[in-house]
Amino acid sequence: TRVAQAVLVSAVPPFMLRTDDNPGGVPQEVFDAIRTGSLADRSQLYRDLADGPFFGNNRPGADVSAGIREAFWLQGMQAGHRNAYECIAAFSATDFRADLDAFDIPTLVIHGDDDQVVPFEVGGKASAARIKRAELKVYPGAPHGITDTHKEQLATDLLAFLETADA
């Protein structure tokens, strides 16, 4: 069967790493710091991510429950340490630009404009610009973890997009 639609939610494509041909990307030092944190004390790294940038809990007025933050920490700790460590290189340095250029199906790109993990300009906005049949939905003020922080809005948008599929 053929894929009829695609959705990218807070996704890393097209290419996160700052390079000569991707000057708007995220500096290598950011990913090096995540690796250092993972090796030094990965448990604290996951706590710091959850309590801060992942869910936007470091922003004024943020109210992300301890339960959501603790669930993120638990998921991180359940991942194999080497797998999670190697994932840092995979999500930062994999170049998806050619892949996105080849998309020929309706694609919904959803991204928060206050994503501190995958910056909006680097991720959602850049992906939507590359995909021929993309629809970009920007969640104002939303963090990277919108699958938890904006789950009702996300569910509504996903269902509406699915209803647009050709039968």
Side-chain angles (χ1 to χ4, degrees):
T1 61
R2 181 171 136 52
V3 173
Q5 295 174 294
V7 178
L8 300 175
V9 178
S10 299
V12 299
F15 185 33
M16 282 196 58
L17 187 63
R18 179 180 294 165
T19 60
D20 290 343
D21 70 342
N22 193 41
V26 178
Q28 178 68 49
E29 298 78 29
V30 171
F31 304 111
D32 291 344
I34 297 170
R35 282 187 197 87
T36 299
S38 179
L39 291 175
D41 186 348
R42 88 178 170 131
S43 182
Q44 190 60 51
L45 172 71
Y46 290 126
R47 288 261 188 240
D48 292 345
L49 286 170
D51 290 343
F54 195 88
F55 296 111
N57 207 47
N58 57 344
R59 298 296 199 215
D63 186 22
V64 181
S65 75
I68 287 174
R69 298 188 328 266
E70 290 169 11
F72 174 88
W73 172 84
L74 181 59
Q75 291 168 20
M77 294 308 295
Q78 289 176 328
H81 192 192
R82 179 173 178 136
N83 302 337
Y85 182 85
E86 296 296 336
C87 185
I88 299 163
F91 75 71
S92 65
T94 302
D95 187 344
F96 295 100
R97 292 178 286 191
D99 297 309
L100 295 185
D101 291 347
F103 272 41
D104 63 352
I105 56 174
T107 303
L108 178 61
V109 179
I110 299 175
H111 214 101
D113 68 3
D114 193 29
D115 188 328
Q116 299 170 69
V117 177
V118 179
F120 171 69
E121 298 285 330
V122 172
K125 184 176 180 183
S127 289
R130 295 194 85 92
I131 299 170
K132 295 171 195 74
R133 297 171 66 189
E135 174 189 347
L136 176 62
K137 279 208 173 279
V138 180
Y139 288 14
H144 186 68
I146 61 176
T147 56
D148 285 307
T149 62
H150 291 70
K151 61 186 168 195
E152 290 178 21
Q153 181 181 357
L154 180 62
T156 298
D157 290 339
L158 291 173
L159 289 172
F161 181 66
L162 289 172
E163 290 174 358
T164 67
D166 295 333

